[in-house]
Amino acid sequence: MVGSRVFVALDPGVGESLGYWLNIVSRLCGGVAGFKFGLPFLLSFGVDGVRVSRGVCDSMFIVDLKLADVGDVMVSTVSRLVGYVDGVIAHGFTGFEGALGELKDYLDSVGVKLALIVSMSHAGSLDVLDVNIDRLLWVADRVKPWGLVAPATRPHVISYVKSRAPWAKILSPGVGVQGARPGDALRAGADYEIIGRAITRAPNPLEVLQSINLEHEKIMGERGVGRV
Ligand code: BMP
């Protein structure tokens, strides 16, 4: 859907079939900003699973490997997905030289967007990431990725990230099962909410998605932000 602020996280359980997830992708396709594929999806269905999903839906595909390696290895990893994905997620803590700088140059050359994690949705994010958020934002400012990941579960962190990096799209997980309400992150300044189980495990995923889209539209209207 043009204007949806939802990225649906596709996290299959062990033994689930690709068909089940393809059905979700095709049913939700018209109502999302995009889909996020993580390690559970890739380990279950491989790169081919992402390729086949692309065949049923042409919205934005983000692969979430939470990359955190030297540049050469991160480039080698994502090069296997080029052609099937529009964006990748990496951790911000590996730094610029020899890591994220190289990854960003490569992704720019193949037209794939980068999103960097500067804070996470679980409580343990306070142990290391959040106490170093200014340093992570300093790295982000050097890398200048398309997006930053910040938690819907701590809206004040989103507001802070937005104030320090107004140029970035903010993608916020932690909605639903992890405790944040749909719309909390958008109200705090996020551009998108990443939502998994609250949608994919609902008896009627499309109905849940549509009601979240309506709520989001209201909030973005209040913020004075139009459709994306
Ligand atoms: P769920 O809405 O089912 O809790 O799923 C959240 C999704 O967002 C998962 O795919 C998870 O890997 C991801 N995620 C997260 O939960 N917290 C973060 O800080 C970063 C994430 O990528």
Side-chain angles (χ1 to χ4, degrees), residues 1-144:
M1 172 187 158
V2 182
S4 173
R5 300 285 172 164
V6 178
F7 277 94
V8 174
L10 304 171
D11 292 314
V14 174
E16 289 179 349
S17 71
L18 177 58
Y20 172 86
W21 289 90
L22 285 177
N23 185 41
I24 289 191
V25 171
S26 75
R27 285 186 62 202
L28 302 186
C29 181
V32 297
F35 291 98
K36 183 180 84 70
F37 299 81
L39 278 171
F41 191 98
L42 278 169
L43 291 171
S44 285
F45 310 126
V47 175
D48 212 46
V50 181
R51 184 186 62 75
V52 174
S53 304
R54 177 114 262 174
V56 302
C57 180
D58 198 21
S59 69
M60 185 168 174
F61 278 19
I62 294 181
V63 68
D64 176 16
L65 298 172
K66 296 199 172 59
L67 295 165
D69 214 320
V70 293
D72 194 52
V73 174
M74 292 196 284
V75 167
S76 167
T77 304
V78 298
S79 67
R80 288 146 218 248
L81 289 149
V82 169
Y84 313 124
V85 300
D86 307 289
V88 304
I89 294 178
H91 270 294
F93 59 72
T94 52
F96 186 83
E97 296 289 340
L100 295 170
E102 287 176 21
L103 177 64
K104 175 66 163 46
D105 285 348
Y106 172 72
L107 292 174
D108 282 349
S109 75
V110 292
V112 173
K113 293 177 164 65
L114 174 64
L116 288 186
I117 296 170
V118 293
S119 174
M120 293 185 71
S121 56
H122 63 302
S125 182
L126 302 175
D127 296 346
V128 176
L129 293 178
D130 288 34
V131 289
N132 290 295
I133 196 156
D134 285 321
R135 202 64 195 170
L136 291 164
L137 286 166
W138 177 84
V139 171
D141 199 58
R142 283 195 77 185
V143 178
K144 282 276 172 2

Side-chain angles (χ1 to χ4, degrees), residues 198-215:
I199 292 176
T200 60
R201 302 298 180 185
N204 188 335
L206 184 58
E207 213 169 82
V208 176
L209 173 66
Q210 285 169 338
S211 86
I212 293 173
N213 278 339
L214 277 179
E215 173 71 11

